[in-house]
Amino acid sequence: MSSKPPKNLPPVEPAGEPSLRKSGFVAIAGRPNAGKSTILNALLGTELSIVTPKAQTTRERVNGVLTEKEGQIVFIDTPGIHRARDGGINAYMMAEVRSALNMPDLIWYLVDPDSAPKHEEAVLELLVEAKRPVLMLFNKNDLKRNFGQVEALQPEMLKVAAERGINVVESYRLSALKKHGLAPLMKKTWEMLENGPFHFADEDQISDRPTRFFVSEKIREQLFHKLGDEIPYACAISIDKFQEDAKPIRIEATIYVERDSQKGMVIGAGGAKIKEIGTFARKSIETFLDTKVFLGLNVKVLKDWSKDAERLKQLGYDLPKTGKKRTAS
Ligand SMILES: Nc1nc2c(ncn2[C@@H]2O[C@H](COP(=O)(O)OP(=O)(O)OP(=O)(O)O)[C@@H](O)[C@H]2O)c(=O)[nH]1
Ligand SMILES: [Mg+2]
């Protein structure tokens, strides 16, 4: 499930040939639920990164590639920044954020107008460390309740960021959901990037993540939608079979939970819940792949997988050796 940083990919233009189009990396960072995955999807015009109303939906970096007449941007959607107290999967998520913030040309910092500087502390700390130029984006401006909030929060946040030495080049108010206010943001972003060779030769390619990853994410998305507040966080997916040559494409996956009691809740009375999850996940995979799919789902217990480095690794969440120390706290 891990992806190589796209910076390692070889440039696609012959060495020595000057490029006349822009090329760069933009990391999308912020607290959980700020709308990071929503803005990525809005710009790519497709449901690449999963979005749910629950915080901490995104667990791993998701690279999304936008190629337009101006050039090519590789966006890096990241997990919501939070204080990872208990190591395990939370430490993995924060390591994903850190590695994404180490490399980009520019960071888009999404802020929910409902927030306050004290809630943004963990994000601000990482932005100080990252030493990259930042565009501060006040999202969710379609919500009436946010109008007054943003008036007060925007100058406050700009002041706090300046005091910390964070290079906020510009701030914008927008709505990722309604796709309002994206044009000035994109104009500024293109301006800030330099000409250079593309990292993805195929201008239609939208990610370097394998299809299997997106299939597992579509299943995880339905777990967030269909299960209560706690269980989705105790679930991980493994894709056991992906038969592309079958008609319809045959996919078999296992949902791993941490305890027996959770297994029962995912399956539901008479298997009703898993059936519902399977139906919705299948439809969403079919839309994503634009073809018919057979989806078989199993549920298994992998005791306390989210806290155990070996089990995390088994599920594709490879903790950095210093994972525990490298949390945002
Ligand atoms: N009203 C409104 N809702 C939004 C907007 N942007 C995102 N949302 C909603 O906010 C919730 C969280 O959106 P996500 O895109 O998953 O947020 P995220 O920052 O990726 O969250 P994590 O992955 O948990 O860190 C979803 O219910 C979105 O529909 C917006 O501009 N307006
Ligand atoms: Mg997200």
Side-chain angles (χ1 to χ4, degrees), residues 32-38 52-53 56-58 80 139-140 142 175-177:
N33 220 40
K36 301 177 292 298
S37 303
T38 305
T52 83
Q56 294 179 33
T57 297
T58 305
N139 190 27
K140 307 197 183 183
D142 54 295
S175 165
L177 185 71

Side-chain angles (χ1 to χ4, degrees), residues 30 33 77 95 100 109 111 156 174 214 230 258 271 299 314 325:
N33 220 40
D77 184 18
Y109 170 20
V111 183
E156 247 186 301
L174 47 87
F214 293 106
E230 307 287 328
E258 301 201 275
V299 187
Q314 188 183 329
K325 287 187 206 135

Side-chain angles (χ1 to χ4, degrees), residues 3-294:
S3 71
K4 285 197 182 111
K7 220 163 201 176
N8 293 344
L9 293 170
V12 298
E13 286 173 32
E17 199 135 306
S19 173
L20 299 173
R21 286 162 93 190
K22 304 277 181 134
S23 175
F25 293 88
V26 175
I28 308 175
R31 292 182 66 211
N33 220 40
K36 301 177 292 298
S37 303
T38 305
I39 201 165
L40 174 74
N41 292 346
L43 288 163
L44 297 182
T46 184
E47 306 298 309
L48 187 71
S49 197
I50 61 168
V51 169
T52 83
K54 292 184 176 131
Q56 294 179 33
T57 297
T58 305
R59 255 184 209 161
E60 301 175 64
R61 276 174 294 161
V62 179
N63 297 325
V65 187
L66 180 74
T67 308
E68 295 194 327
K69 63 179 188 318
E70 293 89 343
Q72 186 177 75
I73 300 175
V74 182
F75 289 105
I76 310 152
D77 184 18
T78 63
I81 296 170
H82 61 287
R83 302 230 181 242
R85 285 184 201 88
D86 58 348
I89 187 68
N90 286 304
Y92 174 86
M93 288 161 73
M94 291 311 301
E96 284 286 278
V97 178
R98 280 174 191 276
S99 72
L101 296 189
N102 273 337
M103 51 173 286
D105 299 289
L106 170 65
I107 298 172
W108 283 3
Y109 170 20
L110 260 81
V111 183
D112 188 322
D114 221 10
S115 189
K118 64 176 183 211
H119 301 314
E120 299 290 327
E121 198 50 49
V123 187
L124 294 168
E125 282 170 22
L126 287 185
L127 294 180
V128 170
E129 266 180 46
K131 299 188 181 70
R132 292 285 190 277
V134 170
L135 296 179
M136 200 184 270
L137 314 181
F138 294 87
N139 190 27
K140 307 197 183 183
N141 267 279
D142 54 295
L143 296 175
K144 277 214 173 65
R145 66 174 156 85
N146 284 339
F147 294 172
Q149 312 254 63
V150 78
E151 289 294 335
L153 186 64
Q154 191 166 3
E156 247 186 301
M157 285 300 300
L158 289 171
K159 183 164 171 275
V160 173
E163 283 165 2
R164 305 288 175 93
I166 299 167
N167 176 16
V168 178
V169 177
E170 195 61 81
S171 69
Y172 296 91
R173 297 178 190 178
L174 47 87
S175 165
L177 185 71
K178 304 282 182 198
K179 303 187 188 183
H180 292 163
L182 300 182
L185 166 65
M186 285 308 296
K187 185 168 180 284
K188 185 73 188 174
T189 300
W190 287 120
E191 265 170 38
M192 289 177 70
L193 297 177
E194 296 191 0
N195 288 351
F198 285 1
H199 294 271
F200 291 86
D202 177 357
E203 300 203 0
D204 293 328
Q205 185 173 353
I206 56 164
S207 185
D208 57 353
R209 281 274 171 140
T211 310
R212 277 167 174 258
F213 169 75
F214 293 106
V215 166
S216 71
E217 285 292 270
K218 298 291 175 197
I219 300 168
R220 221 163 56 76
E221 184 172 39
Q222 290 311 318
L223 300 175
F224 274 90
H225 285 309
K226 304 293 173 197
L227 296 167
D229 280 344
E230 307 287 328
I231 305 178
Y233 301 101
C235 291
I237 313 292
S238 103
I239 303 294
D240 308 320
K241 191 184 264 186
F242 190 92
Q243 252 182 310
E244 258 180 293
D245 50 0
K247 274 199 171 104
I249 291 181
R250 190 176 179 87
I251 302 169
E252 284 171 32
T254 302
I255 301 167
Y256 286 98
V257 291
E258 301 201 275
R259 295 193 298 271
D260 277 328
S261 57
Q262 293 164 341
K263 182 175 171 180
M265 285 189 258
V266 175
I267 293 171
K273 188 54 93 182
I274 190 71
K275 196 169 170 212
E276 188 190 356
I277 291 165
T279 303
F280 278 81
R282 177 181 52 75
K283 284 183 184 154
S284 141
I285 294 166
E286 286 180 341
T287 305
F288 188 73
L289 300 180
D290 194 23
T291 182
K292 287 274 175 219
V293 161
F294 165 86

